[in-house]
Amino acid sequence: MTKVKRQLLSGDEAIALAALRAGVTLGTGYPGTPSTEILETYARLGGRAQWAPNEKVALEVGAGVAFARGRALVTMKHVGLNVAADVLFTVAYSGVSGALVIVSADDPGMSSSQNEQDNRRYAVAAGVPMVEPADSQEAYDFTFAALEMSERWGVPVLLRLTTRVCHAKSIVADGRAPLPAVAPRFERNIPERVMIPAHARPAHRRLRQKLAEIATWAETAPLNRRTAGDGRLGIVTSGVAVMHAREAAPQAALLQLGVTHPLPLQLIRDFAASVQECVVLEEGDPYLEEALRAAGIAVRGKPAGYRFGELNVARTRRILAADASPEPAPARGKPPQLCPGCPYRTVFTVLRRLECIVSGDIGCYTLGALPPFEAMDFQTCMGASIGMGLGLRHTLPADEARRVVSVIGDSTFMHSGLTGVAEMVYNPPATGHVLLILDNGTTAMTGQQEHPATGRTLNHEPTGRVAIEAVVRAMGVPQVDVVDPMKEAEFEALLRERLASGRLAVIVARRSCILAAGAIRAYEKAAAARSQPLGGCPADAATTTTGETEG
């Protein structure tokens, strides 16, 4: 019998612990708030985890693990699922032989994101089951449940979280017995694994049959919980909104949905019929409300204004009271800004001075759009800076087009910038183009994670390194320079020259992140010490990495 241990954990930590206990074969993902801590914790606990260049690759690797009967945990923030969606929709058809659980950590209120999309819509669109924990204990339990569902029905399962579930801490009873171990094995099954149209058509029918079976199972599944109330008010809810409902209306009957796709409609219909008024309480889009109304269940949703941002107890009370009056304005906080000593401060100072039109990207350097720099003109999603800058170059009059610069960080470049360079070389604008890659040796925005261009694994151990400047040269960019952006005059002179050249140019502005520099030096020192034979010199690879990262 497994001894139960109680500990205070965040939802992210609870998922990592459950993955370890359940025998997950591999955890893979791309760092993104609020999901980053899952794989970091999983690795710290002794699990096998790795960062992928982007979410699509992570899901591809996870699918491969599950094709070989392994158990895969793939983590990402909500916008990451946009990148991975191409894989998701077809792996739902092909199915898996092991377990494939995809964690989507949504960010209502956009504390660190460019939008607040509600990824529950993806479960419906892709046709995959979805579970939503409300606290850390459920994050732990539902990770087990998601792995079991994936193995039982041979489908990917979406484990959907939101910021408060990811980061808030609550007690977790860690006592689940591990799932039975399964020996990895690949079984050839071309009709189920090769999604040509002839195979995909029956695969779609198999997927819908699986969803129908899961819907029947969900009607009595322990993941959905019903709490009795005084009969006047019933609340249908899921995720962190469960906690707000319990505090705001303790007298109300509660139906907490742990399985939110496919929905247990008969369970919900019976619950709604048992109370005088039934309210749907949910964070984000009216996903549940619309589904229940479409099924003919009489429920009241929230006023439109509560679609924005996170819920809390005060907002929940207003929703239950159908209060649509304007909410009090939140207190103004201190606007974020680039760190003192950040090498990007010089970069944006120069870009502003040269009156460049800057096509920006996702990362802490996006703060270059704010005062005092105000030197980034648009930013959309990971990797878009290159293509959008090229579009501007193709369109603007020549004198104006020559002012356009695409700016992207090193981790973002590895994530989705390479295809932008291919486009740049393949369809060069008449005025050329200048791509500025800000290489600070880490994924700074999400907490200093590694990526393929740092040459270190998730655990900061040495591994193969992608040399950015070598890659862009090999792709056909004729002018490639590596500079230290802190040498302002030198950097400005080079940028002026490349803008005037009318050719394709990449400038790698390399200087370690001011917050990560100490840790990077420590990693490199440890790596050099390990590679040095007794009485000999450090290996060439370690010496090269040190020199290039330090700039």
Side-chain angles (χ1 to χ4, degrees):
M1 181 176 178
T2 304
K3 184 178 179 181
V4 176
K5 180 181 179 182
R6 295 169 64 84
Q7 45 190 320
L8 186 64
L9 298 176
S10 70
D12 283 351
E13 293 167 335
I15 290 171
L17 180 62
L20 185 77
R21 296 283 187 260
V24 161
T25 310
L26 177 67
T28 179
Y30 184 79
T33 304
S35 69
T36 309
E37 294 84 359
I38 298 173
L39 289 187
E40 291 179 327
T41 305
Y42 182 58
R44 192 166 60 248
L45 292 173
R48 183 182 171 195
Q50 58 194 38
W51 293 128
N54 65 28
E55 296 85 354
K56 179 176 183 287
V57 175
L59 185 50
E60 290 162 350
V61 172
V65 169
F67 283 168
R69 302 213 310 166
R71 293 176 181 138
L73 182 75
V74 184
T75 70
M76 60 194 72
K77 67 182 299 176
H78 62 307
V79 289
L81 199 50
N82 302 334
V83 181
D86 205 12
V87 186
L88 175 67
F89 278 64
T90 303
V91 170
Y93 279 25
S94 68
V96 293
S97 302
L100 177 58
V101 173
I102 302 143
V103 177
S104 168
D106 292 9
D107 184 16
M110 295 178 284
S111 62
S112 62
S113 307
Q114 67 268 41
N115 68 40
E116 55 182 331
Q117 70 189 47
D118 188 330
N119 277 5
R120 294 178 297 178
R121 308 286 194 187
Y122 265 116
V124 179
V128 297
M130 172 172 58
V131 296
E132 286 190 77
D135 61 10
S136 299
Q137 181 66 62
E138 289 191 352
Y140 174 90
D141 293 333
F142 285 20
T143 301
F144 271 91
L147 290 165
E148 290 171 322
M149 291 170 66
S150 185
E151 286 188 348
R152 177 176 174 181
W153 280 286
V155 291
V157 174
L158 191 64
L159 177 61
R160 190 251 187 181
L161 312 170
T162 55
T163 305
R164 296 300 147 184
V165 178
C166 290
H167 289 163
K169 293 196 172 187
S170 59
I171 296 293
V172 173
D174 170 26
R176 284 286 303 263
L179 300 181
V182 178
R185 185 177 72 247
F186 179 70
E187 296 175 349
R188 198 174 200 193
N189 189 339
I190 293 174
E192 290 194 10
R193 294 287 184 266
V194 181
M195 286 300 105
I196 57 176
H199 297 166
R201 293 186 191 103
H204 189 194
R205 294 183 183 276
R206 285 196 299 273
L207 173 63
R208 294 299 158 187
Q209 179 58 38
K210 291 176 183 177
L211 288 172
E213 293 172 8
I214 295 171
T216 302
W217 167 82
E219 294 288 348
T220 55
L223 278 62
N224 301 314
R225 298 173 185 171
R226 186 169 172 173
T227 306
D230 62 14
R232 290 176 296 173
L233 175 64
I235 301 174
V236 179
T237 184
S238 67
V240 73
V242 172
M243 301 304 173
H244 303 321
R246 286 177 180 169
E247 187 168 345
Q251 80 289 352
L254 200 67
L255 178 58
Q256 174 190 347
L257 297 175
V259 181
T260 45
H261 186 258
L263 286 168
L265 289 174
Q266 190 57 49
L267 175 68
I268 300 169
R269 187 173 285 109
D270 293 344
F271 175 80
S274 70
V275 295
Q276 293 177 21
E277 182 185 29
C278 189
V279 175
V280 176
L281 181 68
E282 56 189 326
E283 201 171 60
D285 290 355
Y287 164 76
L288 292 174
E289 178 193 349
E290 291 175 0
L292 301 193
R293 286 180 181 277
I297 301 173
V299 295
R300 173 166 67 83
K302 58 188 178 186
Y306 298 100
R307 185 173 189 160
F308 309 102
E310 291 184 284
L311 292 186
N312 54 32
V313 176
R315 299 187 86 198
T316 298
R317 290 195 175 104
R318 288 169 61 93
I319 291 170
L320 296 178
D323 185 352
S325 63
E327 296 181 86
R332 291 179 63 86
K334 180 183 177 182
Q337 57 181 275
L338 292 173
C339 300
C342 172
Y344 301 160
R345 299 181 76 91
T346 307
V347 169
F348 287 109
T349 298
V350 171
L351 289 169
R352 174 69 183 268
R353 186 184 300 141
L354 299 186
E355 298 182 334
C356 291
I357 300 171
V358 177
S359 175
D361 225 297
I362 303 291
C364 55
Y365 51 92
T366 310
L367 296 172
L370 300 180
F373 308 103
E374 298 180 281
M376 184 178 289
D377 294 282
F378 47 87
Q379 164 263 345
T380 304
C381 63
M382 298 281 276
S385 61
I386 304 175
M388 296 176 82
L390 291 169
L392 232 63
R393 283 264 186 173
H394 286 306
T395 308
L396 293 174
D399 288 347
E400 204 170 354
R402 290 192 186 93
R403 295 165 46 211
V404 177
V405 177
S406 292
V407 175
I408 191 169
D410 49 340
S411 183
T412 310
F413 179 73
M414 285 288 102
H415 179 283
S416 48
L418 290 164
T419 48
V421 174
E423 169 68 11
M424 183 169 146
V425 172
Y426 184 52
N427 294 307
T431 59
H433 191 48
V434 175
L435 169 61
L436 187 53
I437 302 176
L438 307 179
D439 182 4
N440 64 358
T442 187
T443 312
M445 188 177 186
T446 53
Q448 302 168 20
Q449 285 74 37
E450 307 292 354
H451 59 73
T454 68
R456 294 179 293 275
T457 67
L458 181 146
N459 287 323
H460 313 296
E461 300 290 333
T463 186
R465 172 178 172 268
V466 177
I468 294 173
E469 57 271 32
V471 168
V472 293
R473 282 194 191 102
M475 292 180 75
V477 178
Q479 296 176 322
V480 181
D481 301 279
V482 180
V483 298
D484 180 351
M486 296 297 280
K487 298 176 180 178
E488 185 171 333
E490 183 180 327
F491 171 66
E492 180 172 342
L494 176 65
L495 182 56
R496 284 181 183 276
E497 184 179 332
R498 294 298 178 246
L499 285 169
S501 73
R503 303 175 67 198
L504 299 181
V506 170
I507 300 174
V508 181
R510 179 167 293 150
R511 165 72 75 152
S512 293
C513 166
I514 192 74
L515 300 179
I520 291 172
R521 283 194 293 271
Y523 302 146
E524 292 177 344
K525 185 176 180 181
R530 279 196 294 273
S531 66
Q532 184 173 3
L534 290 175
C537 298
D540 291 344
T543 306
T544 300
T545 299
T546 302
E548 291 184 347
T549 303
E550 284 296 296

